[in-house]
Amino acid sequence: CNVDNKYIVHFPEERAIWSFGSGYGGNALLGKKCFALRIASAMARDQGWFAEHMLILGVTNPQGVKKYVAAAFPSACGKTNL
């Protein structure tokens, strides 16, 4: 562990992720998730296919009625911020 310097670095061109200075095991999983989100998009661009992710969204109106929507969204389109 290095409390002053922690890095998780992505290299989309090389399809690689480097982690330095962190003893937290969850960062290894974070790197894999980011691989799916960022590097897969670079691979899709290079290989001519489309990287996408699924979304299931539940919305409740003020009267308490909940509706669900399922859809496919491309990477980096703002699903997380939705």
Side-chain angles (χ1 to χ4, degrees):
C1 292
N2 185 324
V3 297
D4 296 321
N5 294 301
K6 295 178 187 153
Y7 301 96
I8 299 175
V9 185
H10 301 165
F11 299 94
E13 299 81 13
E14 300 171 15
R15 316 300 190 239
I17 300 168
W18 294 3
S19 177
F20 171 81
S22 176
Y24 174 57
N27 285 339
L29 297 175
L30 174 64
K32 289 179 182 180
K33 180 178 179 182
C34 290
F35 180 87
L37 296 174
R38 183 165 184 236
I39 295 181
S41 293
M43 292 170 67
R45 179 197 64 221
D46 295 345
Q47 297 173 9
W49 52 275
F50 186 65
E52 63 180 316
H53 293 84
M54 304 305 291
L55 171 76
I56 300 175
L57 176 68
V59 180
T60 305
N61 69 17
Q63 292 74 35
V65 177
K66 192 168 200 175
K67 300 287 183 175
Y68 292 92
V69 176
F73 290 87
S75 297
C77 73
K79 296 179 301 295
T80 303
N81 295 323
L82 179 62

